[in-house]
Amino acid sequence: MRLRYALLPLLALSALPAAATTLTIDGRIIEEQWRDAHVFRDFKRTQPYTLDAASVVTEARMLSTPEGIAFAFRCEQPAGFARIKPFTPRDRIRNADRVNVNIDFDADGKIGYNFTVSLSDSIEDAIITEENQFNTDWDADWQHAVQEDDTGWTVEILLPWTIASMRGSDTPTRTVAVQVDRVLAERSERSALPPAFYGNPVYLSAFERITIAQHRAQILDLFPYVSALYDLKHPGSEFRAGADLFWKPSGDFQLTATVNPDFGQVESDELVVNFDAIETFYSDKRPFFTENQALFDLRSAPDGVLFYTRRVGAASDDGSGRAADIAAAVKFNGAAGDLKYGAFLADEDGEAGRRFAAGRLLYSLGESDNIGLLFTSVDRPALDRRADVLANDWRWQLSPVLRLEGQLLLSQIEQSRQTTRDSGGVLRLTAMPSDQLQHTAILTHLGGALDFNDAGYMPRNDFNRASWQTSYKRSDLPADSATAAVTWKAIGVYRANDDGDRLTPYAYLTRTAELRAGGSYILEIGGDGNGYDDQIARGNGKIWRDARESLFAEYNSARRGRWQYTLGAWLLQEGISGRALQLESELSYSVSDRLTIDGEISPRWSRDWLIWTGDDRLASYRRTKWSTAVNVNWFPKARHELRAKLQWFAVDARDAQSYRIDERGRLYADTAAADDFSVNSFGVQLRYRYELGPQSEFYLVYSRGGEERRDRHNDSGDLFLDALSLRDADQFLAKLRYRF
């Protein structure tokens, strides 16, 4: 059954003309096909941020075609520059020669898309929101090809008209905002046009606006799947089947639906053992939740997300600890004139199943100004709870160098026949008086009963914050200097809760130096002022913290032959008055272009690790913590990928001193015993992936791991050896997902 189809060209009026002949994406730039393209020349260096001419010549072209928006790059690379081209899994390009297309299809500065192709023809794709926030969870269907020759290499890219929702898809022309760039891995050098840098507070809005011919297209894709899971620890099998549906009748409207979705782990989460009051945030790689999701991606200070898709299908409210099964879900996005809209519905199975709903409106008031609404609602029958949240967001470009943004948040929680309402808001002012100097000021208020955690991710409420950030980039360094550019960044934050308690303020100063030969180093000095910590005791009191300091240094090497590494050290104060040392190291080695091994080790030694132990009690421990990971990626031939991933996380805590909190928030020593303990967590995943075709894949996955807590002190060597025997889960999964 073939459900994919397209309706091609509308008549195009005056704009960037369409391709004169049919374009074949094979990496060979045929002049006749590209002669009418818009051309990008004279790339400028943005990393290091010198804004001078790039070390190597790059030319890019952009062309509207009936099939999509096409790009071509010609990358000159003389013999004196090494070609670095490892094969990498999707969305994991790190040290490789590569090109990027960054495009905002509506040219309104709200949602952008990043497409990366490396010299080995490995790819990344990502969604850009909040000016410079990249999310690689999204995987799209687009064409790409690479060709090499003696003097350089070429890339061709085709982005179908159906790749994303586009406002005004029925007009003969459209204006898009575009940036193209190239990375020379040997020197860690990035050059771009226009010369905007993704680390700046204003990035997406700085793209070049180009008018092109527009074509209409439709697509209907069905993705049925079958999977089989065999449990080796508790012998038994589980079989599942279901389907996802993606329908795009036009660029103005897209619908996604799923029935009995399969969320078996072909991508493993990072191992985390969390002793903090704030839950760990995880990204979402499930296809249904990443497709057409950018419109709903609204973030809020501090580090919150108003619609966190990992809530759907999370641990059931029935108390079993098992992930809830999702019966069905549907989502649609569209546009009407200057209005973008979207809706989301999901229903979990069983009497305890939750029901999720979300709606989004975003209205454009001009080239950069807009106003929006996001509504979420969650019904949780097992808890007799309903949570509704309304967010209003807006952006106003006061002048070419001054932008004001804001958010108003309202929540209403009904539980056990009681209703709680509260509000909050965020105000952000961004100023860029020059390419070298930027300022950002943020005011935040979150009421004590404001709660968007049922559908979103909310680190805390009862919170007030005023922050200021200034960054200054200097590139006018002597030609014989080993440093090409230096960036200074200063941040100061004052915080308080609604009771008037001053929470620990903090400030830090960072100096980042980018080297002419490639690589960079970072030096940072920071500190927390005197203030309260009102979260550590989980509502059982607040504790007073004296001022603390920290010092951080890190060196990131450029690619040297087959090696690339990062070394860092962090000296800080923690707990009551103790100090800690954390080392950070990452190493990558390319056995060949098709086989890469990388690993990281981050140990921390603490003299005074303070954690909550229950009620108004805390304990301070001497701690040793290990966080390690090893990844092996092998691409034996085209379409075949083998990956091994091993993680070990361990904590050993000993020599405890117990404390209690007095009425003033001070800690005093307690005679209660606090036992030594250790936590050991281990996971390994072996995965084979075969690409049957675009977005059609077959997986074989073996996963094993577990976590164990012991009420005694253990040496690090013993912890690692014991970790190898952990076996809470031991499973084998086979999964086939095919695109019709």
Side-chain angles (χ1 to χ4, degrees):
M1 178 176 57
R2 184 69 176 173
L3 297 176
R4 193 169 188 264
Y5 60 96
L7 295 181
L8 298 175
L10 270 182
L11 178 64
L13 300 182
S14 60
L16 181 64
T21 60
T22 301
L23 190 65
T24 301
I25 303 301
D26 57 8
R28 296 179 175 88
I29 301 176
I30 300 174
E31 200 63 35
E32 179 185 1
Q33 296 176 339
W34 290 93
R35 64 171 180 260
D36 295 325
H38 178 87
V39 181
F40 301 86
R41 292 191 180 96
D42 302 323
F43 281 49
K44 304 299 181 184
R45 283 200 292 177
T46 59
Q47 197 176 6
Y49 196 75
T50 57
L51 302 183
D52 58 355
S55 298
V56 289
V57 175
T58 306
E59 180 180 281
R61 306 186 193 190
M62 174 184 173
L63 184 64
S64 174
T65 78
E67 294 79 19
I69 305 173
F71 293 84
F73 289 80
R74 175 58 190 175
C75 304
E76 299 296 332
Q77 195 144 339
F81 295 88
R83 299 189 186 188
I84 300 175
K85 50 180 180 179
F87 287 79
T88 62
R90 187 169 190 152
D91 297 333
R92 297 182 184 275
I93 300 174
R94 293 297 176 265
N95 300 294
D97 294 327
R98 59 193 183 273
V99 297
N100 289 275
V101 170
N102 301 295
I103 184 168
D104 174 358
F105 293 109
D106 291 327
D108 60 3
K110 287 299 292 183
I111 301 171
Y113 299 85
N114 163 251
F115 303 91
T116 304
V117 181
S118 76
L119 181 51
S120 68
D121 204 23
S122 300
I123 64 169
E124 285 189 357
D125 38 22
I127 295 173
I128 310 170
T129 57
E130 305 289 334
E131 285 290 343
N132 59 5
Q133 300 300 308
F134 286 72
N135 185 340
T136 59
D137 293 339
W138 174 69
D139 290 335
D141 178 24
W142 48 287
Q143 296 182 45
H144 50 92
V146 178
Q147 292 288 338
E148 280 191 85
D149 56 46
D150 293 340
T151 60
W153 49 291
T154 58
V155 181
E156 287 186 315
I157 294 170
L158 179 67
L159 309 179
W161 290 107
T162 54
I163 200 167
S165 177
M166 303 181 196
R167 188 177 63 226
S169 65
D170 58 348
T171 60
T173 65
R174 75 179 300 105
T175 299
V176 297
V178 177
Q179 187 207 38
V180 290
D181 77 33
R182 176 188 177 184
V183 175
L184 186 65
E186 182 188 31
R187 298 192 177 185
S188 305
E189 178 182 308
R190 184 185 301 268
S191 55
L193 279 179
F197 178 54
Y198 65 85
N200 290 347
V202 174
Y203 173 64
L204 183 58
S205 300
F207 292 179
E208 179 182 352
R209 283 163 171 76
I210 303 170
T211 300
I212 61 175
Q214 179 168 240
H215 303 269
R216 295 190 66 181
Q218 299 182 352
I219 190 172
L220 177 61
D221 284 334
L222 180 65
F223 293 85
Y225 83 88
V226 291
S227 69
L229 176 70
Y230 183 74
D231 193 321
L232 298 170
K233 183 178 180 182
H234 305 288
S237 301
E238 178 182 339
F239 297 91
R240 296 178 65 97
D244 296 334
L245 176 73
F246 299 99
W247 179 42
K248 301 176 183 179
S250 72
D252 287 313
F253 184 84
Q254 302 181 36
L255 182 141
T256 310
T258 185
V259 177
N260 194 27
D262 172 44
F263 300 137
Q265 287 295 316
V266 295
E267 293 283 351
S268 58
D269 290 326
E270 299 299 315
L271 285 184
V272 176
V273 179
N274 190 352
F275 291 91
D276 295 333
I278 300 172
E279 70 170 306
T280 303
F281 180 87
Y282 292 102
S283 64
D284 199 334
K285 294 291 287 185
R286 300 175 292 182
F288 171 80
F289 292 103
T290 60
E291 181 73 14
N292 305 330
Q293 193 63 29
L295 184 64
F296 297 92
D297 190 8
L298 185 60
R299 306 185 183 198
S300 183
D303 304 319
V305 177
L306 288 162
F307 188 30
Y308 180 36
T309 56
R310 290 289 292 248
R311 296 287 185 227
V312 185
S316 174
D317 285 342
D318 63 8
S320 66
R322 293 176 57 87
D325 289 327
I326 301 173
V330 63
K331 173 172 53 179
F332 66 81
N333 300 60
D338 291 327
L339 177 68
K340 297 180 181 179
Y341 59 88
F344 175 99
L345 297 168
D347 195 5
E348 296 176 345
D349 263 338
E351 294 183 0
R354 294 163 291 217
R355 289 179 288 278
F356 294 83
R360 176 70 164 143
L361 298 173
L362 183 64
Y363 187 76
S364 176
L365 300 171
E367 189 173 273
S368 299
D369 304 338
N370 51 63
I371 185 170
L373 289 173
L374 174 66
F375 172 74
T376 65
S377 180
V378 184
D379 186 18
R380 310 178 70 173
L383 304 181
D384 190 18
R385 178 181 174 93
R386 179 186 173 92
D388 298 322
V389 174
L390 179 67
N392 164 233
D393 60 299
W394 51 270
R395 183 173 68 184
W396 183 18
Q397 193 74 39
L398 301 173
S399 74
V401 299
L402 198 63
R403 171 180 293 169
L404 187 64
E405 299 169 275
Q407 237 179 57
L408 175 64
L409 307 169
L410 302 170
S411 70
Q412 175 177 290
I413 311 298
E414 298 178 6
Q415 186 164 16
S416 303
R417 299 183 181 180
Q418 294 186 351
T419 300
T420 304
R421 299 182 181 90
D422 212 333
S423 61
V426 181
L427 195 64
R428 178 187 292 107
L429 180 67
T430 302
M432 292 189 66
S434 70
D435 289 334
Q436 287 73 37
L437 185 64
Q438 299 100 36
H439 309 284
T440 303
I442 304 175
L443 295 175
T444 304
H445 166 67
L446 303 177
L450 178 69
D451 188 353
F452 55 82
N453 238 349
D454 293 82
Y457 172 80
M458 188 177 188
R460 67 162 300 152
N461 53 16
D462 188 14
F463 184 68
N464 303 284
R465 182 179 73 171
S467 68
W468 180 275
Q469 174 179 317
T470 292
S471 63
Y472 173 69
K473 297 178 171 65
R474 184 187 173 193
S475 58
D476 58 342
L477 301 172
D480 59 353
S481 171
T483 301
V486 173
T487 300
W488 292 89
K489 181 183 291 185
I491 294 180
V493 177
Y494 178 83
R495 306 183 297 171
N497 60 28
D498 280 353
D499 294 330
D501 299 321
R502 185 183 74 206
L503 308 179
T504 51
Y506 63 88
Y508 61 83
L509 178 66
T510 305
R511 181 183 187 271
T512 303
E514 296 173 279
L515 307 177
R516 294 189 191 277
S520 64
Y521 64 85
I522 301 171
L523 294 174
E524 179 181 291
I525 184 170
D528 294 354
N530 296 325
Y532 286 102
D533 182 339
D534 63 348
Q535 286 189 296
I536 189 172
R538 276 68 161 181
N540 293 285
K542 59 192 178 185
I543 68 168
W544 178 260
R545 298 264 199 181
D546 291 328
R548 292 168 288 167
E549 300 84 35
S550 66
L551 179 65
F552 176 73
E554 182 180 84
Y555 173 70
N556 297 283
S557 78
R559 174 73 177 256
R560 297 289 182 256
R562 298 182 181 273
W563 300 89
Q564 194 276 334
Y565 61 91
T566 296
L567 297 174
W570 187 21
L571 180 63
L572 67 153
Q573 289 181 285
E574 60 178 1
I576 301 172
S577 59
R579 296 186 181 275
L581 172 65
Q582 178 166 318
L583 302 180
E584 299 178 0
S585 61
E586 298 180 15
L587 179 66
S588 178
Y589 177 69
S590 294
V591 179
S592 68
D593 289 340
R594 291 187 173 272
L595 177 59
T596 303
I597 303 171
D598 60 77
E600 59 181 87
I601 302 177
S602 296
R604 180 186 283 199
W605 297 274
S606 307
R607 293 183 178 179
D608 185 9
W609 179 43
L610 188 67
I611 61 172
W612 178 64
T613 56
D615 298 327
D616 63 346
R617 298 178 184 274
L618 293 94
S620 174
Y621 291 88
R622 294 178 68 90
R623 170 183 60 164
T624 301
K625 181 182 78 172
W626 290 91
S627 179
T628 67
V630 176
N631 294 286
V632 180
N633 293 295
W634 182 33
F635 298 82
K637 58 174 65 176
R639 297 191 175 192
H640 296 265
E641 175 187 335
L642 284 168
R643 181 181 179 190
K645 181 176 183 179
L646 181 149
Q647 291 179 279
W648 175 54
F649 187 97
V651 173
D652 177 55
R654 61 195 184 279
D655 302 336
Q657 170 62 60
S658 181
Y659 293 93
R660 299 190 71 173
I661 309 171
D662 68 18
E663 64 278 0
R664 297 180 302 120
R666 269 59 174 182
L667 295 177
Y668 64 91
D670 184 27
T671 57
D675 296 329
D676 296 349
F677 72 91
S678 62
V679 176
N680 216 358
S681 184
F682 177 80
V684 62
Q685 184 185 80
L686 304 176
R687 190 186 77 176
Y688 168 74
R689 171 180 173 269
Y690 177 67
E691 184 181 6
L692 299 164
Q695 297 184 304
S696 297
E697 300 161 315
F698 174 67
Y699 288 97
L700 294 175
V701 184
Y702 172 72
S703 301
R704 173 174 170 167
E707 182 176 315
E708 180 183 49
R709 175 169 175 146
R710 295 179 179 177
D711 293 327
R712 67 174 188 269
H713 156 60
N714 284 269
D715 292 329
S716 298
D718 293 336
L719 285 172
F720 179 73
L721 293 175
D722 291 344
L724 299 177
S725 63
L726 293 176
R727 194 174 174 237
D728 294 343
D730 194 352
Q731 299 175 335
F732 183 81
L733 172 73
K735 177 179 176 180
L736 173 65
R737 184 173 186 261
Y738 195 80
R739 173 182 177 175
F740 286 95

